[in-house]
Amino acid sequence: MLKKILSISGKPGLYKLISYGKNIIIVEGLSDGKRMPAYSYNKIISLGDIAIYTTDEEVPLADVMETIYKNNDGKVLDKKELTKNAAALHEFFASVLPNYDTDRVYDTDIKKVIAWYNLLVEAGVTSFKAEETKEDEDKVETTSEEQKADEKE
């Protein structure tokens, strides 16, 4: 689900991908529902491509969002309470992702995750992981069969 949710540098909020062309994409604001163009020169990133550093490996943002959602019973987080001091911020994030890398995950990153989570929940997005369809499963099976055939040759 997060693959179609975008963050655009220089623009507040999150956006849903509607359509795309050669040098432009049409996005819709999650909070206001207004559609607007985003151009190829804008720094655009899909939330599905973001991962959080841990001491072991990178954890996809979708997994972090799922954990926050489950820990808070699907409720919006109290941003003022969590961001009043750095200790509270890190304590909260440690409860969500115990082995996050404290050297590479900054306070601003945690605040952004909280803000994004609140925007998504307010917009009604409650499933953060992509649901695999039957077509996706067929593609994976076909690809693995093709790779096995190539290895035999």
Side-chain angles (χ1 to χ4, degrees), residues 46-73:
S46 168
L47 295 189
D49 295 335
I50 297 174
I52 306 294
Y53 295 116
T54 65
T55 54
D56 302 327
E57 59 187 19
E58 294 180 359
V59 176
L61 182 63
D63 293 345
V64 175
M65 294 285 191
E66 283 284 332
T67 305
I68 294 172
Y69 187 79
K70 288 176 184 174
N71 289 352
N72 294 297
D73 300 323

Side-chain angles (χ1 to χ4, degrees), residues 14 29 48 50 61 78 82 94 110-111 129 137 139-140:
L14 293 174
I50 297 174
L61 182 63
D78 184 9
L82 291 173
I110 299 171
K111 288 177 184 178
K129 294 184 181 181
E137 292 173 6
K139 286 180 187 177
V140 171

